Amino acid sequence: MFSRLIPREARFFDLFNAHAALIIEGSHALVQLVADPATFAAHAERIDTAERGADKITHETITLLHRTFMTPIDRDQIHQLINNMDDVLDLIQDTAESMVLYDIRHTTPEAQQLAQICQMTCDRVKAAVGLLSDLRNPEAIMKTCEEIDRLESDADRVMRSAISRLFREESDVKQLIKLRSIYELLETITDRCEDVANIIEGIVLENA
């Protein structure tokens, strides 16, 4: 049944893939921004453009969902997937905006490492989403979701270590508070990616 429905409803998968591509654009810009906050203007614009594009895709997906009688996967799963994907890019934008609001001019190696983990996690999200239109290879999808879970755990460990070092070594209380907030935002991006992976795992288990 699933394979017969896909040709009629391929637009959902096209929209998922287009949204995932914008997540990648935002995550790559965030890595560059965290590496060099002086480049904020250029990279923040890239993130804002990606976020606006993703909002349009989310709206288009939900509109299509309301107009479609037969959907290729569960309606609630479509809604949850696109909204959770949108949360990822919203958090990327929130992180970039927080860096300028807090006037962060220099970052730490831990912040840069967390940003890189975010990028790798977003890369895996795009890969998993790209495999959804053909569930004849569920093992590949599940493996990619497991990689997302592992990267989220890596981000947890880096964040805990980073915060521990802040409290040991940072004497400027304001700077400590600012950096801790950025660490937590970066780690939360990986949490939202894990949420996306959990939804995708549910789709695979129900339809494979």
Side-chain angles (χ1 to χ4, degrees), residues 41-56:
H43 297 311
E45 178 60 30
R46 287 173 60 196
I47 292 170
D48 288 346
T49 299
E51 194 276 335
R52 288 193 298 270
D55 278 348
K56 291 179 182 178

Side-chain angles (χ1 to χ4, degrees), residues 10-26 49-61 81-82 85-86 89 122 125-133:
R11 282 187 64 199
F12 282 111
F13 301 107
D14 292 341
L15 290 167
F16 294 154
N17 287 325
H19 196 298
L22 292 173
I23 289 175
I24 294 296
E25 171 69 12
T49 299
E51 194 276 335
R52 288 193 298 270
D55 278 348
K56 291 179 182 178
I57 292 171
T58 299
H59 177 74
E60 185 177 351
T61 302
L81 180 58
I82 197 65
M85 290 174 66
D86 210 44
L89 203 35
C122 290
V125 165
K126 184 177 185 297
V129 168
L131 293 168
L132 265 181
S133 62

Side-chain angles (χ1 to χ4, degrees), residues 23-37 39 43 47 88 91-93 95-96 99 104 106-124 151-152 154-159 162 179-191 193:
I23 289 175
I24 294 296
E25 171 69 12
S27 69
H28 284 224
L30 183 63
V31 166
Q32 294 172 302
L33 172 58
V34 173
D36 183 6
T39 63
H43 297 311
I47 292 170
V88 173
L91 269 168
I92 289 173
Q93 185 182 48
T95 305
M99 288 187 65
I104 293 179
H106 304 284
T107 57
T108 62
E110 291 90 348
Q112 294 171 29
Q113 185 178 2
L114 280 168
Q116 290 164 358
I117 294 173
C118 288
Q119 178 184 314
M120 290 187 289
T121 311
C122 290
D123 287 342
R124 301 304 191 283
L151 286 165
E152 189 277 333
D154 290 345
D156 276 343
R157 287 192 291 271
V158 172
M159 184 189 71
L179 286 172
R180 177 175 179 170
S181 178
I182 296 302
Y183 292 159
E184 290 173 344
L185 282 167
L186 288 166
E187 193 279 330
T188 304
I189 293 170
T190 67
D191 288 342
C193 288

